Amino acid sequence: MAANPDSLRISDVPSRARTVAFARGDGIGPEITDAVLTVMEAAGARLDLQEVPLGRGVYESGTRSGVDPAAWDILRGSRAFLKAPVSTPQGGGFKSVNVTIRKSLGLFANVRPCRSYHPFVASRHPSMDVVIVRENEEDTYAGIEHRATAEVVQCLKLVSRPGCERVIRYAFNYARDRGRRKVSCLTKDNIMKLTDGLFHEVFDEVAAGYPDLLAEHHIVDAGAARLTTRPEKFDVIVTPNLYGDILSDVAAEISGSIGLAASANVGDEFAMFEAVHGSAPDIAGRDLANPSGLLLAGVMMLGHVGLAEEASRVHNAWLRVLERGLHTADIFQHGVSSRRVGTREFARAIVAELGSAPRRLQAVQYGPTRTGVRRPAHSRPPRRPRKDLVGIDVFLDWDEDGRDPVALAGRLASAGSPALELRMITNRGVKVWPAGLPETFRTDHWRCRFLRRDPGRPLRHAELQSLLAAISGAGLDYVKTEHLHEFDGVPGYSSGQGE
Ligand code: NAI
Ligand code: MG
């Protein structure tokens, strides 16, 4: 395997790394946690386990985030967190524990392996083995939304270069450390040329540093179609937050084993591991629950804290039990399963197989590396580009004159400005002036683009302010502005559709 400067050898991992927080969660959480801890202990995983109060009891004590204030110190002192599912109370301003932890601790990558276990678990795609790495903090999930006018609301999509870089670098390191061959990037950069364009651009830059891995890009809609029909064409996928949210559920579902799926939320040092399923209150406390999702989360966690050998041992024993047909009720199939077992018996069967390998399913072998980012968390481009202010987009709430763009342009022209000239008006991104089409539907929300008259010198803020004062003075209601810059002479703004 090629040397990987971004990976850490096991011997480099300080002993603190083995401090692991866990939470038993709600519903089936406690029983599957017991099963998982039993298996990990039997596998010889030496962990310093710290229990964290989380979920129902914490919500009931009035903490709306669901995370006890005392939990933060335990989490900060740990390298990883194994979290059983938590029931989120409906309404009442309660926040999901996951969102709270993910955002508070900077867990920038969500990793979800989606594998089929055909023929032991029914799947339409017998050879599927895809890992989705989803950017976890940016994109439209910053939750910055505004109502601009009576008719129009908006959501701000924020994408940063360091945000792209660390999740993409994580995906390449993950692929390399696990002997995978290809990383596919999915974006919609044919439409969102700046935001998704940046993600794609950084992907190409990072890929150049991994010549041992294949790298490819798909437009997300075509890529998603291909993923659902021919998932075996994919290996590791890296994608922005929203697409990743959707695709990771789709991929887990079509693998046929969503009930067995696990995910990791990974930060620079700390990571949180959990099953994809919820707390299943309908079967709680009855020894019916399948502990596999949390167990596979535990396997990822062992790898993260440098216990690769123990991770392989647990995973292979689990695969062997699946093959032997000892199945919990949720995956039991006549003709395939040999016996229906409860949560506890399933765990005992795995313990009994520790040291065995699967015979038909592919065995796993985790390497002695830990996929860390090992880069400054906020690495900057080598040089900050020259930035020139060249104009402004002024958004108006305007519902007069039959919403005739020519009339609006006339009002804006009379507002006048010595430094700036009106170049274009769009409505929902489509150019309506000059030379718009009468068929274009028009809302009460107008984007009016002004650019500098003298391309020889950058604008000053005062010139924008006098333009806005003139617009106000003409009786027009501006509800938002965006400054237009060139970076090293390249426009940092999109053109209007139809421009
Ligand atoms: P769920 O995943 O808990 O249950 C859906 C169905 O799958 C149920 O019929 C359940 O019995 C079954 N099921 C789930 N896990 C199973 C397992 N390990 N073994 C056997 N059967 C299993 O989803 P649901 O009902 O929508 O949510 C229940 C609660 O879980 C809610 O309060 C929800 O907020 C919470 N939840 C928590 C998550 C987390 O902590 N990460 C994720 C999803 C839901
Ligand atoms: Mg989701």
Side-chain angles (χ1 to χ4, degrees):
M1 193 170 81
N4 182 356
D6 292 336
S7 291
L8 204 59
R9 298 204 62 85
I10 241 186
S11 51
D12 301 334
V13 179
S15 59
R16 184 181 78 76
R18 306 284 161 71
T19 300
V20 163
F22 75 103
R24 292 181 184 279
D26 303 317
I28 60 171
E31 52 199 297
I32 60 176
T33 303
D34 286 342
V36 170
L37 295 183
T38 302
V39 172
M40 295 206 300
E41 198 188 330
R46 282 177 297 110
L47 296 169
D48 172 14
L49 289 165
Q50 304 283 332
E51 185 160 0
V52 172
L54 204 70
R56 187 155 165 204
V58 177
Y59 285 121
E60 281 170 359
S61 73
T63 306
R64 283 167 191 270
S65 67
V67 183
D68 189 282
W72 295 112
D73 285 340
I74 303 175
L75 295 176
R76 270 190 217 103
S78 310
R79 177 47 74 65
F81 178 31
L82 183 64
K83 180 188 146 292
V86 165
S87 307
T88 309
Q90 299 292 306
F94 292 108
K95 289 205 198 90
S96 135
V97 165
N98 279 35
V99 174
T100 305
I101 294 179
R102 204 197 295 155
K103 293 224 155 177
S104 307
L105 298 180
L107 306 183
F108 61 82
N110 181 278
V111 183
R112 188 180 294 181
C114 303
R115 184 177 163 188
S116 110
Y117 301 101
H118 178 87
F120 307 102
V121 179
S123 168
R124 249 182 258 184
H125 299 289
S127 56
M128 176 169 184
D129 183 9
V130 176
V131 180
I132 308 230
V133 178
R134 159 189 172 195
E135 196 287 314
N136 223 3
E137 297 183 297
E138 305 197 331
D139 197 347
T140 47
Y141 287 59
I144 306 174
E145 295 193 302
H146 299 93
R147 179 170 177 177
T149 66
E151 292 177 359
V152 174
V153 289
Q154 66 169 28
C155 175
L156 197 59
K157 173 160 165 151
L158 286 177
V159 178
S160 75
R161 173 170 274 275
C164 295
E165 186 178 338
R166 41 188 203 168
V167 71
I168 291 166
R169 193 169 287 284
Y170 179 86
F172 276 94
N173 285 341
Y174 180 98
R176 185 183 267 174
D177 286 352
R178 284 160 183 76
R180 289 178 175 267
R181 309 209 163 282
K182 183 163 80 172
V183 183
S184 309
C185 174
L186 271 56
T187 73
K188 191 78 185 172
D189 69 338
N190 54 337
I191 302 294
M192 282 159 279
K193 295 188 171 72
L194 290 184
T195 49
D196 283 15
L198 178 62
F199 197 91
H200 186 175
E201 179 183 316
V202 174
F203 177 81
D204 287 344
E205 288 168 19
V206 171
Y210 294 78
D212 50 320
L213 295 171
L214 295 169
E216 60 175 23
H217 174 267
H218 296 272
I219 298 296
V220 62
D221 43 2
R226 192 178 167 95
L227 176 67
T228 52
T229 50
R230 283 177 294 161
E232 63 284 351
K233 298 275 178 205
F234 291 95
D235 195 347
V236 174
I237 289 175
V238 64
T239 187
N241 207 339
L242 174 60
Y243 315 137
D245 187 2
I246 299 165
L247 287 177
S248 58
D249 273 17
V250 170
E253 183 75 38
I254 63 166
S255 73
S257 45
I258 191 160
L260 312 179
S263 78
N265 287 281
V266 182
D268 279 333
E269 291 295 332
F270 182 80
M272 172 169 79
F273 300 85
E274 63 182 340
V276 167
H277 64 71
S279 58
D282 51 333
I283 57 164
R286 294 163 55 197
D287 195 40
L288 287 172
N290 187 341
S292 298
L294 191 63
L295 186 78
L296 294 177
V299 166
M300 287 203 261
M301 184 193 76
L302 292 175
H304 179 80
V305 300
L307 299 176
E309 207 183 303
E310 291 82 348
S312 307
R313 203 176 310 146
V314 170
H315 201 158
N316 287 326
W318 176 82
L319 289 167
R320 182 69 194 128
V321 170
L322 265 198
E323 283 184 350
R324 288 187 47 209
L326 300 173
H327 291 167
T328 46
D330 55 308
I331 56 169
F332 185 88
Q333 294 176 79
H334 288 286
V336 176
S337 310
S338 58
R339 199 146 60 85
R340 189 189 303 252
V341 294
T343 313
R344 285 194 291 265
E345 190 180 348
F346 188 71
R348 281 196 298 272
I350 299 167
V351 169
E353 292 291 353
L354 286 168
S356 339
R359 295 177 194 167
R360 289 180 59 191
L361 293 168
Q362 169 97 48
V364 296
Q365 188 174 13
Y366 297 106
T369 54
R370 183 181 74 82
T371 298
V373 178
R374 307 284 291 157
R375 294 270 300 185
H378 301 284
S379 65
R380 288 177 160 200
R383 182 185 63 80
R384 290 183 68 78
R386 195 188 79 236
K387 185 172 108 179
D388 294 326
L389 181 61
V390 301
I392 186 169
D393 277 350
V394 181
F395 292 77
L396 300 180
D397 179 350
W398 187 67
D399 184 28
E400 293 165 34
D401 301 334
R403 298 186 180 181
D404 173 8
V406 176
L408 178 57
R411 296 269 298 270
L412 287 165
S414 72
S417 155
L420 288 131
E421 100 186 292
L422 179 67
R423 286 291 181 81
M424 168 181 79
I425 303 174
T426 67
N427 197 297
R428 294 188 305 172
V430 181
K431 190 188 71 169
V432 293
W433 182 92
L437 300 176
E439 293 84 359
T440 306
F441 182 78
R442 297 182 299 271
T443 68
D444 57 2
H445 186 248
W446 307 80
R447 188 260 306 257
C448 308
R449 172 160 292 176
F450 293 84
L451 290 175
R452 59 184 170 179
R453 291 186 198 275
D454 175 3
R457 70 165 179 91
L459 292 164
R460 283 173 285 116
H461 280 170
E463 289 164 324
L464 303 184
Q465 284 153 5
S466 56
L467 171 71
L468 293 176
I471 289 173
S472 240
L476 294 166
D477 179 18
Y478 66 86
V479 292
K480 171 190 155 77
T481 59
E482 290 284 351
H483 295 187
L484 307 178
H485 295 102
E486 286 179 359
F487 291 84
D488 284 340
V490 178
Y493 49 90
S494 58
S495 48
Q497 287 161 353
E499 195 186 356

